[in-house]
Amino acid sequence: FFLIMASFALPEIIDNQDGWGPVSPPEEYEGFPFLPFSKSDKLNRIADWTSTSTSRYSRQGGDVQSAFSFTGADDASFTLVDNQKLQSKYSRTKRYGNQSYSNRTVKNYPQNQPAATPTPNAKTRQQPRTGKRWRNNAYRYQRYVEKRTYDPSIVVKPEWEKVESIDLNALNKVNSPVPDGEDLVCVGEVKMFDSSYMGISARNEKPLHNQEAVFFNKTASDDEVIRRLTGQGTVFASDSILALLMSCTRGVYPWDIIVHRVGSKLFFDKRDGSKIDLLTVGENAVEPPTNDSDSINSATALSREATLIDQYFGRQVVNDGQVVSIAKNTEMIPEGFSIGSSSRGYRYRKWSMGNGIDLVARCDVDGVDVGKNGEHKFLTINSLNEYDPKVSGIDWRTKLDNQPGAVFANELKSNSCRLTKWCARTLLAGTDQFVLGFVSRQVGNPNKHAILKVQQYKPEEFASHIVASPENMW
């Protein structure tokens, strides 16, 4: 047994009796320049080729030349390619045309010159702020806006099987030919539109009357007329559900529908207690309404208010004394069938979608108007509502008469999905005109409103205004 120990030799240690540090430089550093220094010196730079006596990094006691100092004469033959003085990007001198104005120019300007009189619209005309700077500010603002998430409209059970998942963004890129619709059955009576409301302005507003009415709003599988028409199609629905599907790419709030299969027939129905028929307010706004149940401006309260306003407006702008029947093919109507309201008619229409798919839907007709040649024109009537000018940023009572386009553009930005649904229902019903009203709330009172303006659009014209494609809807 042999024990082998590791060898270790102490290096040579040189003791400096007169100070600290090595007595002599090591051999590998022999010949390197060295400048002695004291503890009070500032060791900020190893080498300085620009050191002068006025430099704040110069040593105490004046300019000390060392081996690190750079000396040398300038080459007189060296010249710059371009020796013109560059003008600063942020120069205070402003140029207008071919003249330059600076502080000196202003001081030398004669004081007895008459001041230029501003134009009458100089103060009122304001150009919108554009450019990269303002776009960046808007982007930063949107980054810090709270992004809200919403719970599903129905609890998804774990035992449910997912059949297919559809990307809503991909639906914006698909198109389908618009099919021609035909009337199978028409039920009910519609009232004549009161053309005097077309002359209303924000200056001579009219109060909105609370005229409640009961509308026929049964789902497709519970509609007795649709049951009689099962031999005419393969897919059955109401215009509210079809409009929901046609505008789903712009929707934000969650929703759900029920599809019943009976043999080879499909019925698109709404669930009991569903909020599909309620209008949304500010669904597409950057800051949508809150969910505070105690506030009159909560999402739920505003939705109910907007739905009632839409019904009241549709009842008020028609004349009760002039009624037009739209009944057609009444033999298909079951005995004892009643729609329960005399203020709206219904058209059961059919579209051939191809591949053996025939769509049958019940569509609403809100009124009728007389054309230039005495013909009847069917109308779809809806209304937008203003609840707080501070939220929307535009006061309808001051802007609606002079800038109706700005008010409409602002509403399109905040209620794009809502307007698209109305456009889809107008196209489905095959009406000739779309009547849009602008209703504003009285200050602080959600139960009192006033009609400020009424406009009419052709369905194709209204679709172009809201940048909606009928081909994409289908």
Side-chain angles (χ1 to χ4, degrees):
F1 178 77
F2 297 94
L3 180 62
I4 301 176
M5 302 294 290
S7 61
F8 176 76
L10 291 174
E12 182 182 3
I13 300 176
I14 301 176
D15 186 13
N16 190 348
Q17 299 295 335
D18 298 330
W20 58 278
V23 179
S24 60
E27 296 180 358
E28 57 268 27
Y29 299 117
E30 191 69 28
F32 276 33
F34 176 75
L35 183 65
F37 57 91
S38 63
K39 294 182 179 181
S40 61
D41 291 341
K42 296 181 179 180
L43 303 179
N44 294 345
R45 298 182 182 181
I46 297 178
D48 187 7
W49 286 271
T50 61
S51 175
T52 59
S53 60
T54 58
S55 174
R56 66 172 183 171
Y57 297 104
S58 59
R59 291 171 174 254
Q60 297 178 357
D63 185 17
V64 180
Q65 298 294 332
S66 67
F68 295 96
S69 300
F70 175 78
T71 58
D74 293 338
D75 191 353
S77 62
F78 177 76
T79 58
L80 293 174
V81 177
D82 186 7
N83 56 3
Q84 295 181 1
K85 185 178 180 181
L86 297 178
Q87 185 176 0
S88 175
K89 179 180 178 182
Y90 303 99
S91 175
R92 295 184 179 180
T93 303
K94 298 183 179 180
R95 295 183 178 272
Y96 298 93
N98 296 328
Q99 298 181 358
S100 176
Y101 295 89
S102 59
N103 294 335
R104 182 178 302 177
T105 307
V106 175
K107 293 180 181 179
N108 297 333
Y109 193 80
Q111 300 296 329
N112 56 357
Q113 292 289 340
T117 57
T119 58
N121 298 330
K123 296 183 179 180
T124 58
R125 187 187 301 112
Q126 295 182 358
Q127 297 295 334
R129 293 176 175 178
T130 58
K132 184 177 180 181
R133 174 185 176 186
W134 304 111
R135 289 197 302 268
N136 292 341
N137 291 341
Y139 171 72
R140 295 190 189 99
Y141 172 74
Q142 293 181 0
R143 284 181 57 190
Y144 292 99
V145 173
E146 180 183 0
K147 295 183 178 180
R148 302 179 184 177
T149 56
Y150 302 95
D151 296 331
S153 58
I154 187 173
V155 179
V156 180
K157 298 181 181 179
E159 61 269 16
W160 289 359
E161 179 183 358
K162 184 174 73 172
V163 178
E164 186 175 357
S165 179
I166 302 175
D167 185 8
L168 295 182
N169 294 327
L171 294 180
N172 288 319
K173 304 178 182 179
V174 297
N175 292 315
S176 176
V178 178
D180 296 329
E182 59 174 323
D183 292 342
L184 298 178
V185 179
C186 296
V187 183
E189 299 175 342
V190 291
K191 298 179 180 180
M192 193 68 64
F193 176 71
D194 189 353
S195 59
S196 64
Y197 282 89
M198 296 300 300
I200 292 180
S201 63
R203 297 179 180 178
N204 57 345
E205 60 185 39
K206 284 189 177 182
L208 180 67
H209 305 305
N210 299 345
Q211 303 179 17
E212 297 184 2
V214 179
F215 296 98
F216 182 76
N217 199 18
K218 289 186 177 181
T219 187
S221 59
D222 295 336
D223 192 335
E224 293 85 352
V225 178
I226 289 183
R227 292 179 181 179
R228 287 286 188 94
L229 298 175
T230 53
Q232 299 288 336
T234 56
V235 180
F236 305 88
S238 63
D239 61 344
S240 60
I241 291 182
L242 293 181
L244 176 67
L245 296 175
M246 288 181 167
S247 61
C248 64
T249 56
R250 300 189 179 187
V252 177
Y253 294 154
W255 51 268
D256 64 277
I257 59 176
I258 299 176
V259 181
H260 288 104
R261 176 183 289 275
V262 181
S264 59
K265 313 292 183 180
L266 293 179
F267 294 85
F268 285 72
D269 298 330
K270 60 181 179 180
R271 181 173 45 85
D272 293 338
S274 176
K275 298 181 180 179
I276 291 178
D277 295 326
L278 294 178
L279 300 179
T280 59
V281 177
E283 181 175 359
N284 303 99
V286 178
E287 296 185 15
T290 63
N291 294 324
D292 186 7
S293 59
D294 297 333
S295 175
I296 61 174
N297 293 335
S298 64
T300 303
L302 290 176
S303 179
R304 295 175 180 174
E305 181 182 354
T307 304
L308 291 176
I309 290 175
D310 188 68
Q311 294 180 1
Y312 297 159
F313 177 79
R315 288 281 291 112
Q316 184 169 339
V317 296
V318 293
N319 195 341
D320 294 336
Q322 298 177 340
V323 180
V324 178
S325 175
I326 64 171
K328 180 180 179 180
N329 296 335
T330 56
E331 66 275 4
M332 299 297 297
I333 302 176
E335 185 179 356
F337 175 78
S338 175
I339 58 177
S341 175
S342 60
S343 58
R344 178 179 290 177
Y346 302 93
R347 304 173 72 180
Y348 293 83
R349 312 193 75 205
K350 175 183 176 181
W351 298 268
S352 295
M353 307 295 295
N355 298 326
I357 300 176
D358 294 328
L359 173 63
V360 176
R362 184 189 69 240
C363 305
D364 301 345
V365 179
D366 299 321
V368 65
D369 198 4
V370 180
K372 295 181 180 180
N373 300 325
E375 73 279 7
H376 286 166
K377 292 184 177 181
F378 293 131
L379 305 177
T380 298
I381 304 174
N382 293 107
S383 64
L384 292 168
N385 65 296
E386 179 194 36
Y387 63 96
D388 190 354
K390 297 181 181 178
V391 176
S392 61
I394 296 180
D395 190 354
W396 287 12
R397 284 179 167 83
T398 59
K399 299 292 185 180
L400 198 54
D401 290 342
N402 300 327
Q403 300 177 354
V407 175
F408 184 82
N410 188 67
E411 287 300 307
L412 177 60
K413 182 176 63 175
S414 302
N415 299 287
S416 176
C417 182
R418 177 176 169 185
L419 292 172
T420 307
K421 288 180 182 178
W422 290 344
C423 180
R425 296 183 69 175
T426 304
L427 296 174
L428 289 171
T431 53
D432 303 294
Q433 294 285 338
F434 175 68
V435 179
L436 180 63
F438 294 85
V439 181
S440 178
R441 180 201 290 179
Q442 299 292 344
V443 180
N445 192 345
N447 299 320
K448 291 185 178 181
H449 306 83
I451 303 174
L452 304 183
K453 193 177 184 63
V454 179
Q455 290 184 338
Q456 279 192 4
Y457 303 90
K458 292 183 178 180
E460 296 78 10
E461 178 188 4
F462 183 71
S464 64
H465 284 338
I466 65 174
V467 197
S469 171
E471 292 81 6
N472 179 254
M473 290 182 181
W474 281 102

